[in-house]
Amino acid sequence: RGRRSWTALGATPVAALASVKRRSRVSQRQRWDQLNHAAELGDVARTKEIFWEMQSWLPESEQRLAYNTVLKACANAADLVAAEEWYEVLLAKGLVPNKETYGKLSEAAAKAGHAEKAQKWFWEREKRQLEITPIAINILIDAAAKSGEGVKVEDHLQDMRR
């Protein structure tokens, strides 16, 4: 009395357990949100940890976005070394960098105080004929200003006016 069999409930023990696990698991959308949040905070270690957890279900079509999100964490942490290492991982995976990839590399360099490296990544973006946005030029202006290179700031402002 009061006891029901699993089959009377319409499920086997395995199916019931799987249902509980699905409800307790973090959704893929939530995982993306966590990845982005960690990146916004510049928490490179946590961003990479979440990234690797996502690899078991992340489709090929979303790989570059995930890699770029790790680059975002590196940029926000002003960690140029980690950003350049991660760029190499992205290339080794066979992914094609996009304007966001180079934007985050330039941003990491600028925030780390390496104006020449920021310029290098900007030129790489230009070489690949990827869109040059005002944000990309602003990153160079910021890098030049932080390094005290007033002449370069003026040159970049001229580029923006074109």
Side-chain angles (χ1 to χ4, degrees):
R1 207 172 127 200
R3 296 182 81 195
R4 292 180 163 176
S5 72
W6 287 104
T7 53
L9 295 173
T12 64
V14 173
L17 182 58
S19 175
V20 169
K21 283 184 178 179
R22 274 194 304 277
R23 285 192 302 259
S24 65
R25 253 188 267 163
V26 175
S27 75
Q28 291 178 359
R29 178 73 257 152
Q30 288 170 316
R31 202 42 122 190
W32 272 109
D33 290 344
Q34 291 171 350
L35 181 76
N36 193 53
H37 181 70
E40 286 173 352
L41 295 175
D43 187 343
V44 177
R46 180 69 181 135
T47 304
K48 285 182 178 180
E49 180 184 321
I50 296 167
F51 171 89
W52 290 118
E53 289 170 5
M54 292 171 63
Q55 289 304 297
S56 66
W57 54 262
L58 195 64
E60 191 67 33
S61 61
E62 295 178 9
Q63 288 289 326
R64 184 172 58 195
L65 176 59
Y67 276 83
N68 283 348
T69 305
V70 176
L71 284 173
K72 177 181 182 177
C74 297
N76 288 336
D79 190 342
L80 178 59
V81 172
E84 289 180 336
E85 288 172 355
W86 197 251
Y87 174 74
E88 294 300 324
V89 173
L90 178 145
L91 293 178
K93 171 79 173 171
L95 298 172
V96 178
N98 61 9
K99 68 179 182 174
E100 287 79 11
T101 307
Y102 293 111
K104 292 304 173 190
L105 287 161
S106 288
E107 185 180 351
K111 287 182 177 180
H114 297 284
E116 290 172 8
K117 285 277 192 153
Q119 184 76 47
K120 170 197 169 202
W121 291 115
F122 179 87
W123 285 332
E124 188 65 31
R125 177 180 179 158
E126 193 172 52
K127 181 175 102 179
R128 294 178 184 262
Q129 299 179 333
L130 298 170
E131 179 186 9
I132 303 298
T133 63
I135 292 170
I137 296 170
N138 281 335
I139 289 170
L140 292 181
I141 291 169
D142 182 53
K146 284 179 180 172
S147 66
E149 298 176 358
V151 173
K152 286 188 178 180
V153 171
E154 199 56 43
D155 291 344
H156 296 312
L157 285 171
Q158 290 299 325
D159 289 341
M160 280 184 75
R161 291 185 187 119
R162 287 186 216 151

